[in-house]
């Protein structure tokens, strides 16, 4: 079962462009990342620049509207993520509990939807999805 663990650092929604974590925090996180890799559960991971450097595309009225960051209405934003492949939700939670996160960080755990989770009509509508995943290298065919 694949799970995405989303790092939500409180205060990151107002971080200035180019804000970077301290070297000590990165070193501690790298040990954690290596433990995920050594356990054979890590699929991929990345950190994200602050929202002040991002953009949002909304579709109200059916037309795309681009808004540059920062996003005033944001209360929580994603600072990074891990994709892990484990046997259960409990195992994903156990890995999240081992993270050397600071007191202002939260990890949200979300299970990835597998094609087998969907009814037949949705699977039919998504025909070709597994091939897209294989070609892009972003996931596994299910």
């Amino acid at each position: 079962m694949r799970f995405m663990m989303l790092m939500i650092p409180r205060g990151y929604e107002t971080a200035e462009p180019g804000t970077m974590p301290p070297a000590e925090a990165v070193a501690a996180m790298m040990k954690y990342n290596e433990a995920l890799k050594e356990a054979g559960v890590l699929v991929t991971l990345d950190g994200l620049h602050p929202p002040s450097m991002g953009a949002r595309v909304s579709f109200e009225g059916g037309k795309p509207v681009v808004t540059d960051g920062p996003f005033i209405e944001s209360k929580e934003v994603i600072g990074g993520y891990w994709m892990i492949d484990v046997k259960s939700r409990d195992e994903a939670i156990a890995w999240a509990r081992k993270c050397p996160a600071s007191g202002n960080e939260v990890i949200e755990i979300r299970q990835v939807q597998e094609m087998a989770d969907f009814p037949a009509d949705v699977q039919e509508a998504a025909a070709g999805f597994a091939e897209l995943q294989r070609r892009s290298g972003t996931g596994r065919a299910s």
Side-chain angles (χ1 to χ4, degrees):
M1 305 170 92
R2 289 180 299 153
F3 289 84
M4 183 167 275
M5 300 191 308
L6 305 165
M7 175 61 78
I8 304 170
R10 293 184 189 104
Y12 205 47
E13 65 277 3
T14 59
E16 294 293 322
T19 297
M20 295 291 163
E24 302 80 30
V26 172
M29 197 61 73
M30 284 304 298
K31 288 180 183 177
Y32 174 71
N33 295 339
E34 284 296 325
L36 289 167
K37 181 181 175 189
E38 288 172 15
V41 300
L42 182 63
V43 176
T44 190
L45 73 160
D46 276 302
L48 303 172
H49 282 282
S52 57
M53 297 175 67
R56 287 185 177 172
V57 181
S58 58
F59 296 89
E60 279 191 42
K63 295 188 179 199
V65 176
V66 178
T67 304
D68 289 326
F71 313 111
I72 304 305
E73 68 281 359
S74 293
K75 292 182 183 174
E76 293 181 336
V77 298
I78 298 169
Y81 68 91
W82 300 264
M83 179 73 71
I84 60 173
D85 194 345
V86 293
K87 293 180 177 141
S88 68
R89 179 177 177 269
D90 287 342
E91 187 178 351
I93 291 169
W95 276 109
R97 291 177 65 134
K98 294 177 185 177
C99 182
S102 69
N104 74 323
E105 295 172 316
V106 173
I107 296 176
E108 181 177 325
I109 302 165
R110 306 273 301 277
Q111 186 174 352
V112 174
Q113 292 178 322
E114 303 292 350
M115 197 54 66
D117 296 335
F118 294 102
D121 63 331
V122 175
Q123 289 185 37
E124 185 178 326
F129 184 75
E131 179 60 25
L132 285 173
Q133 283 184 313
R134 275 193 295 278
R135 286 192 291 177
S136 70
T138 60
R140 66 172 186 226
S142 17

